[in-house]
Amino acid sequence: MIGFSLRLAVSGGREAVARLLMTAAAVAIGVGLLLSVLSGINAIDRANARQGWMNTGATGETAATSADPLRWGARMDYYRGKGVFRADLAATGPQAPVLPGLSRLPAPGEYYASPALAKLLRETPAVELADRFPGRQVGTLGAEALPSPDTLAVVIGRTVDEVRALPGATTVTGIATALPADCEHGCYGAGVHGDALVLVLTVVAAALIFPVLVFIGIATRLSAATREQRYAAMRLVGATPGQVSVVSAVESTVAAVLGTAFGFGLYAALKPLVADVPFTGDRFFPGDLVLSLPQAAGVVLGVPLAAALAARFALRRVAVSPLGVARRITPKPPSPWRAAPLVAGLGELGFFVAHHPATTNAQAAAYLTGFVLVMLGLVIAGPWLTMVTARAVARRTGRPAALIAMRRLGDDPRAGFRSVAGLVLALFVTTATLGIMTTINANRGALDGAPEVRKAVVATPLLGPERAALLPSVPDGVMARARAVTGFEGMALLHDNPAGIGASQYGRERIVPVLVRCSELAQIPVIGHCAPGAEVAAVDRNGVLDLQAHPEKEWPAAPVPAEEVAGLPVFIVYATTDDSPAAKEQLRTLFAEEFPAYVTRMAEDWSSEGQKRLQSWRQLANVVLLTTLPIAGCSLAVSVVAGLSDRRRPFAMLRLTGAPLRLLRRVVGLESALPLLVVSALAVGTGFAAAAMFLKSQMGYALVSPDALYYGLTGFGLAASLGIIASTLPLLRRITGPEAARNG
């Protein structure tokens, strides 16, 4: 029987071969996208694993060994808003542990740079970057030490005394191989972890994988009505239900197997393109885009098996009532119980608003289940909602096209909704994603800072377990070199305040201001000004390091002579420029050379860890939106074309009875537009509801309405969908000729 089924699948003429190839092509697209998404998630894990060494010295992550001790000091540097990981180290013996990606440790006066940083060093004037790193470059870091080809990292060899003088330096005998358990603060590298990992697992898994699976399901149902008629005819001439099931399963499985094989080829072709997509803000190494054996086996076996099961499920009417199928008797209508998964998904997300999961794994499982249930609920409830709406419209319309379209939707709402299911899911994903990102933006603020603040270069002490020794003073030669930088505008030295002049109490915290001479404060008006007649001002250090400008702020006078303040240690060096990137980086390099125990920051890189995570989340949202919309477009195009093909004979019969072609076009348009608009409204509502509950449970935020971008994307998506539907209407003339009305 299987051999006969294989011959039947490929020997049914041009139509059978075209149907087979069309189904295989659609499955291939879905499988290729599915494999790309799965490998992208795996790449995040591999990138995280390779940056574990950067967190050497972190509590609980660096195992002790019998190797010679290694003096270790790590920090983040920056260049034009890009993070540069820097490790200063010194071996105390020949058996000191060696970092991944290196064959040996750098000696004092040597350093290794990542390939991306090495390229940047070659292309950038030394006064802007290379002069920060003492010594000479002797090689590059291998890929085993880098989470991304874009990673900027440098490992510098120093003497033991030089590293010991760095704040936060420590001694280790082993290199960390994993990220610390709590990576929300103080982790080095560009990984995705904590809340961000929950967002990746929830949004990516639900928002990308599920629509792809729906698309694959739609592909396996191509020409379903035609096949149903053929199988019903076989039953009527004596074939048993089992024989028909075998024929159906073989035909669907052949197409699915071909599509799966082509899908793996498509995945291999897409891999270089996917690697260049900054999924979380950085590109991947192509070698990181790999599939685990269970994932590959699941796709290889699961897609054909799912196609066979779908074919078996679709034959229920053929097995029970072949004569009813042959005569096109109206199928059983969907019941209101189809709304149960949707209600259950929203209910689960609502439950976790009041009962927040305690662990990252529990959070990922909770939100993933909730989002998948909501999306599954939209797909399952869509036909029932389409039927209810179509029957309501049919009772209130007298136009022929609307009446025919609504009656057809009311009789077979599953077929009507199937064509727009992908777009409805995309609309839900767009609504939820932009709702989440808009709310996070509103609560965590912009990353850029005020324009005046973006001109500033600020050097502050590195505060580790032992407070760094403050600068006793800034030499006149350094001040002269700073003023000589093209684009320099002003500089002020903000001094330590050991006497606590002007200190205030904020709860249990004692706020001690820094002291600055008014003659210097006048050079940097962005942070405020002195009171009239004052020589010294007491400035809140938080106001100095704020991303907002405060030129109107009048700082209180400090009762201390300006000459005495000049002799106090320098706590902050604050310089302003004309906002030239070259000027700012030259000042940063100068300060890094002269103040090695200080870190120099600018507005584009001194934001909090939470804000930096927000930037990667924004990128993730862009990837989600740019992926789901094409998937939805493919689903809609495949479904509409397949639907027209399945209904060739009914439409041909209508034309033979005198129905004009424009009437049929209106019928097709209304049949597609009604479920699209009705269920889209439900998708928007559930998207906002799911986003609101996720935000309240995971972050404690109230939902903020999206901006014009969301409404523009929604309008564009609906307009593009209607355009796709309209583009298929010319096919009606070709497929509804008299020959399509034949019974055979």
Side-chain angles (χ1 to χ4, degrees):
M1 194 65 191
I2 294 179
F4 169 75
S5 302
L6 288 172
R7 290 195 302 272
L8 186 63
V10 298
S11 62
R14 294 173 56 187
E15 181 180 349
V17 174
R19 181 171 61 245
L20 182 68
L21 294 178
M22 187 184 222
T23 303
V27 172
I29 294 173
V31 168
L33 292 174
L34 175 61
L35 296 176
S36 298
V37 172
L38 291 175
S39 65
I41 295 176
N42 293 341
I44 294 176
D45 290 334
R46 293 170 69 92
N48 278 353
R50 278 204 308 277
Q51 64 188 342
W53 69 273
M54 297 181 180
N55 297 279
T56 296
T59 303
E61 296 304 323
T62 307
T65 69
S66 59
D68 292 327
L70 177 70
R71 294 295 298 182
W72 174 273
R75 70 171 87 174
M76 286 301 296
D77 199 349
Y78 295 86
Y79 177 78
R80 300 201 177 187
K82 299 177 181 178
V84 181
F85 174 77
R86 171 175 175 165
D88 294 83
L89 49 83
T92 61
Q95 300 302 317
V98 179
L99 304 180
L102 294 179
S103 59
R104 67 174 181 88
L105 293 175
E110 298 178 344
Y111 65 83
Y112 290 90
S114 65
L117 180 59
K119 181 175 183 290
L120 196 60
L121 290 171
R122 292 192 299 269
E123 298 172 348
T124 304
V127 293
E128 294 184 24
L129 184 59
D131 288 347
R132 305 177 197 178
F133 312 131
R136 62 187 180 87
Q137 183 181 347
V138 294
T140 57
L141 290 168
E144 313 92 87
L146 305 173
S148 165
D150 298 327
T151 298
L152 303 179
V154 61
V155 178
I156 304 172
R158 308 294 291 271
T159 66
V160 172
D161 290 337
E162 287 173 335
V163 178
R164 184 183 292 117
L166 296 175
T170 186
T171 301
V172 299
T173 57
I175 303 300
T177 57
L179 294 173
D182 180 10
C183 226
E184 296 303 319
H185 305 283
C187 278
Y188 293 113
V192 182
H193 26 68
D195 282 345
L197 184 58
V198 173
L199 192 64
V200 168
L201 292 174
T202 302
V203 176
V204 173
L208 294 183
I209 295 178
F210 191 77
V212 169
L213 293 177
V214 169
F215 175 63
I216 294 174
I218 290 174
T220 60
R221 289 281 296 163
L222 285 174
S223 302
T226 302
R227 284 183 288 171
E228 202 174 55
Q229 289 289 317
R230 182 153 48 92
Y231 299 147
M234 293 173 63
R235 285 278 288 118
L236 291 175
V237 297
T240 66
Q243 290 172 329
V244 173
S245 296
V246 171
V247 172
S248 172
V250 168
E251 183 175 3
S252 298
T253 303
V254 167
V257 167
L258 288 175
T260 301
F262 291 141
F264 272 86
L266 179 62
Y267 158 68
L270 289 176
K271 184 182 289 189
L273 301 177
V274 175
D276 285 335
V277 175
F279 193 66
T280 57
D282 294 294
R283 295 183 301 154
F284 293 128
F285 284 109
D288 285 345
L289 292 166
V290 296
L291 298 169
S292 66
L293 183 59
Q295 289 172 336
V299 174
V300 169
L301 300 177
V303 172
L305 179 61
L309 292 176
R312 178 68 184 88
F313 181 78
L315 287 177
R316 290 176 304 165
R317 293 177 64 215
V318 174
V320 174
S321 179
L323 188 59
V325 172
R327 293 182 176 178
R328 292 178 172 82
I329 295 176
T330 300
K332 183 180 179 180
S335 70
W337 285 105
R338 282 178 165 263
L342 178 61
V343 175
L346 294 173
E348 180 182 350
L349 292 175
F351 172 81
F352 289 116
V353 171
H355 304 83
H356 180 66
T359 66
T360 297
N361 289 338
Q363 293 164 15
Y367 302 133
L368 176 60
T369 304
F371 273 91
V372 168
L373 270 177
V374 171
M375 298 173 77
L376 187 64
L378 285 172
V379 174
I380 294 176
W384 173 73
L385 186 63
T386 299
M387 179 193 70
V388 171
T389 306
R391 291 181 176 179
V393 173
R395 288 193 294 267
R396 292 170 174 79
T397 185
R399 296 180 177 273
L403 189 59
I404 295 173
M406 295 306 105
R407 289 295 299 271
R408 286 181 58 84
L409 283 177
D411 288 344
D412 192 5
R414 296 176 185 84
F417 173 76
R418 190 180 302 126
S419 63
V420 299
L423 190 81
V424 168
L425 289 177
L427 191 56
F428 168 81
V429 170
T430 300
T431 301
T433 302
L434 289 183
I436 290 171
M437 296 313 304
T438 300
T439 302
I440 295 176
N441 286 342
N443 283 273
R444 300 196 177 182
L447 299 176
D448 296 337
E452 296 86 354
V453 175
R454 292 180 58 83
K455 300 178 180 181
V457 181
V458 184
T460 58
L462 280 166
L463 300 178
E466 299 176 0
R467 180 172 176 177
L470 298 179
L471 290 169
S473 64
V474 175
D476 291 340
V478 175
M479 301 285 283
R481 289 174 61 191
R483 293 190 179 96
V485 172
T486 302
F488 173 89
E489 290 189 346
M491 186 163 67
L493 306 180
L494 289 80
H495 297 265
D496 193 24
N497 184 6
I501 299 172
S504 59
Q505 199 72 26
Y506 183 78
R508 296 183 178 181
E509 184 181 2
R510 187 166 183 259
I511 307 298
V512 179
V514 291
L515 303 177
V516 58
R517 292 186 292 179
C518 291
S519 58
E520 295 182 1
L521 185 60
Q523 299 181 41
I524 54 169
V526 63
I527 65 172
H529 59 273
C530 290
E535 293 187 355
V536 177
V539 177
D540 181 1
R541 69 183 65 170
N542 292 326
V544 175
L545 303 178
D546 195 355
L547 287 174
Q548 302 302 316
H550 306 282
E552 76 291 345
K553 177 68 176 179
E554 182 176 288
W555 297 106
V560 56
E563 295 77 11
E564 182 178 336
V565 169
L568 294 174
V570 177
F571 197 92
I572 298 173
V573 180
Y574 198 111
T576 58
T577 67
D578 61 357
D579 203 24
S580 160
K584 291 189 290 187
E585 293 302 337
Q586 287 185 49
L587 287 175
R588 192 206 296 268
T589 301
L590 172 63
F591 293 166
E593 283 184 90
E594 299 295 334
F595 317 138
Y598 280 49
V599 60
T600 305
R601 308 291 290 272
M602 303 178 198
E604 56 260 40
D605 54 45
W606 66 8
S607 55
S608 67
E609 292 298 320
Q611 288 175 313
K612 286 187 284 186
R613 288 197 304 273
L614 174 59
Q615 196 167 26
S616 67
W617 293 356
R618 289 173 177 169
Q619 181 61 35
L620 175 63
N622 292 337
V623 172
V624 169
L625 296 179
L626 293 176
T627 304
T628 54
L629 290 177
I631 293 173
C634 291
S635 298
L636 182 62
V638 169
S639 298
V640 171
V641 171
L644 289 177
S645 177
D646 286 342
R647 291 176 289 173
R648 287 185 303 171
R649 188 169 182 274
F651 284 147
M653 295 295 291
L654 284 172
R655 287 195 67 186
L656 287 178
T657 60
L661 191 60
R662 63 177 180 273
L663 176 68
L664 300 184
R665 289 173 176 167
R666 292 194 191 111
V667 169
V668 173
L670 289 172
E671 285 180 356
S672 301
L674 180 75
L676 171 65
L677 298 177
V678 171
V679 187
S680 292
L682 178 63
V684 169
T686 53
F688 280 132
M693 289 184 282
F694 172 84
L695 289 164
K696 193 68 175 177
S697 174
Q698 182 68 8
M699 301 177 179
Y701 297 155
L703 179 68
V704 175
S705 177
D707 54 17
L709 174 64
Y710 165 75
Y711 299 102
L713 281 174
T714 302
F716 171 78
L718 292 175
S721 301
L722 295 175
I724 291 174
I725 295 170
S727 68
T728 64
L729 297 182
L731 291 174
L732 278 172
R733 181 184 296 276
R734 295 177 55 189
I735 67 174
T736 58
E739 67 280 359
R742 292 180 301 173
N743 291 328

